[in-house]
Amino acid sequence: MPASPSTARAINDRLALQLLQQEGPLTAGQLKTMTGLSRPTVADLVERLQGSGLIQIVGEAGAERRGPNARVYGIVADRAHLAALDVRTQSVTVVVADLLGATLAEAALPIGSDTGTEPAVERAVALVERTAREAGAARLHSVGIGAPGLIDPVSGELRDTSGLPAWHRSLVAALQERLPARVVVENETNLAAVAEKRLGVARDRDTFVFLWLGHGVGAALFLDGRLRRGASGGAGEIGFLPVPGTRGVPSAVDCEGGFHSLAGSGAICALAAEHGIEADGAQEPAAAALVRAAVAAGHDEFLDALAGRLALGAAAVAAVLDPGCVVLGGEVGHAGGAQLAARVESRLAPLSPLRTEVRAGALGGAGVLSGALITAREAAQEELFPPANRTGWATAAR
């Protein structure tokens, strides 16, 4: 059925905003060409969006041209301010950005394991508030948080998970209480996968598996263009995967004996020590520094051994999901780069009849913060931009 006039206007407006966000400032003529809408329809939507304070004139297409078609329109970036947090076991990093995603301020804070819950929460919240002030953001519209652990798919809350600091869960509640903002929490691995899908090496893939290789290991599943979280939010807890080559098997409360025992940071550091590999005091996690040093020095035996371990986890994922592509992310995946990815792909091929490409992630540990910012940005746009009809853009009035 054709859309009603009001629904068609909302669809047209959102399409124009989407193009302005993706392509940058555009003229009315360019919007007409890209949307396929009529000139009067484009003129109406431009007037509507200007009136609502969502877009503004940011220049002209050329000094020799005059008139409405020469005016260049862009999204009003400071219409909303966003914050993104990467919450790690012993640190918090925050970035504040505008509606277009441009970074305005960024800060990080170490939080030692001996810090109590209340002091840790207070320091982290103060960091967010201080960074927002430095960015000139009087009010944060949306906040995206990436944290380790399980996110309840119904409530959207970080679940109480053994082995993780108690201040993580308290921090989310404190931010929701103290900030006049929409707070969205997501598993760190899922956010890193979102960032690789939108900004990194998986932009051409609708189906892929993202392996997080950092302090711990995890996976995120993109199937048919959608992030899949599982019935309880635990899809991708690959650290608990039973694999050969470990002592014992994992339990419900301890991933030792699972894939984590082969591919976690401690296991990689131990493997590097066996091969006599050392790294300087680089400003990155120890496992990532060792892998980077091994790649630079051409330590083939170590890289082959590590690739063999990673291939076991990738083979299990491939056998169940047939993703066609596995992305090695996190600090370790980024440090290993194309060399490690190629070795994993080579060792995966004999383990599975399913052709599976292995790629090195482009974003490394920064993927969590990038994914959190994408999430905050989309949450803000969902509220600020006119809602689109679920039937899509095809019903737009021309």
Side-chain angles (χ1 to χ4, degrees), residues 5 17-18 41 48-50 61 96 174 192-193 230 265 305 314 328 354 360 389:
L17 288 165
Q18 185 181 52
T41 299
R48 261 194 319 274
L49 294 176
Q50 279 187 283
V96 176
S265 177
L328 304 182
L354 306 173
N389 190 299

Side-chain angles (χ1 to χ4, degrees), residues 87-91 147-148 158 164-173:
V87 180
R88 301 292 178 100
T89 304
Q90 296 187 6
S91 68
L158 183 65
L164 294 175
W167 63 266
H168 281 194
R169 198 160 187 262
S170 299
L171 172 61
V172 173

Side-chain angles (χ1 to χ4, degrees), residues 225-306:
R226 292 181 58 191
L227 180 66
R228 308 290 179 164
R229 298 176 176 83
S232 63
E237 286 295 312
I238 198 172
F240 287 88
L241 178 72
V243 291
T246 65
R247 296 178 180 179
V249 294
S251 69
V253 295
D254 190 355
C255 59
E256 287 300 323
F259 185 54
H260 173 82
S261 295
L262 293 183
S265 177
I268 294 175
C269 289
L271 181 64
E274 291 176 12
H275 288 80
I277 298 171
E278 298 180 350
D280 57 22
Q283 297 299 312
E284 61 180 339
L290 289 166
V291 170
R292 192 179 302 280
V295 171
H299 285 287
D300 292 341
E301 290 187 5
F302 166 76
L303 293 172
D304 285 342
L306 177 58

Side-chain angles (χ1 to χ4, degrees), residues 15-48:
L15 176 56
L17 288 165
Q18 185 181 52
L19 288 169
L20 288 168
Q21 182 187 68
Q22 294 174 348
E23 305 294 333
L26 298 169
T27 65
Q30 289 171 321
L31 282 171
K32 174 183 177 298
T33 299
M34 292 180 178
T35 61
L37 300 173
S38 67
R39 189 179 302 277
T41 299
V42 170
D44 288 344
L45 74 82
V46 165
E47 184 177 354
R48 261 194 319 274

Side-chain angles (χ1 to χ4, degrees), residues 192 194-197 199-201 330 334 360-368 370-371:
V194 167
E196 289 289 355
K197 169 63 177 168
L199 307 172
V201 299
H334 188 254
L363 303 174
V368 177
S370 296

Side-chain angles (χ1 to χ4, degrees), residues 93-369:
T93 303
V94 58
V95 61
V96 176
D98 61 25
L99 189 56
L100 290 175
T103 297
L104 303 176
E106 187 172 1
L109 175 72
I111 298 180
S113 56
D114 58 344
T115 307
T117 298
E118 289 188 11
V121 170
E122 185 58 38
R123 291 174 63 189
V125 173
L127 178 71
V128 175
E129 294 174 334
R130 183 169 63 252
T131 307
R133 287 196 299 271
E134 291 173 357
R139 178 184 182 277
L140 292 173
H141 184 284
S142 299
V143 178
I145 303 175
L150 303 182
I151 310 299
D152 189 299
V154 177
S155 67
E157 296 180 349
L158 183 65
R159 292 169 56 182
D160 189 8
T161 307
S162 61
L164 294 175
W167 63 266
H168 281 194
R169 198 160 187 262
S170 299
L171 172 61
V172 173
L175 289 171
Q176 290 172 330
E177 179 180 346
R178 290 174 55 170
L179 296 180
R182 180 179 178 183
V183 178
V184 183
V185 189
E186 181 58 271
N187 173 266
E188 60 178 356
T189 302
N190 286 345
L191 288 180
V194 167
E196 289 289 355
K197 169 63 177 168
R198 296 283 292 275
L199 307 172
V201 299
R203 284 174 288 183
D204 62 332
R205 305 290 308 200
D206 285 334
T207 296
F208 69 97
V209 168
F210 175 87
L211 288 186
W212 173 265
L213 304 171
H215 176 71
V217 295
L221 319 177
F222 258 93
L223 306 178
D224 300 323
R226 292 181 58 191
L227 180 66
R228 308 290 179 164
R229 298 176 176 83
S232 63
E237 286 295 312
I238 198 172
F240 287 88
L241 178 72
V243 291
T246 65
R247 296 178 180 179
V249 294
S251 69
V253 295
D254 190 355
C255 59
E256 287 300 323
F259 185 54
H260 173 82
S261 295
L262 293 183
S265 177
I268 294 175
C269 289
L271 181 64
E274 291 176 12
H275 288 80
I277 298 171
E278 298 180 350
D280 57 22
Q283 297 299 312
E284 61 180 339
L290 289 166
V291 170
R292 192 179 302 280
V295 171
H299 285 287
D300 292 341
E301 290 187 5
F302 166 76
L303 293 172
D304 285 342
L306 177 58
R309 292 183 175 196
L310 299 179
L312 291 175
V317 169
V320 175
L321 298 174
D322 186 19
C325 179
V326 171
V327 175
L328 304 182
E331 292 91 351
V332 172
H334 188 254
Q339 282 199 43
L340 180 60
R343 292 170 190 261
V344 174
E345 183 173 324
S346 175
R347 281 149 187 79
L348 173 59
L351 300 179
S352 172
L354 306 173
R355 174 74 173 88
T356 306
E357 180 185 4
V358 179
R359 300 178 180 179
L363 303 174
V368 177
L369 204 58

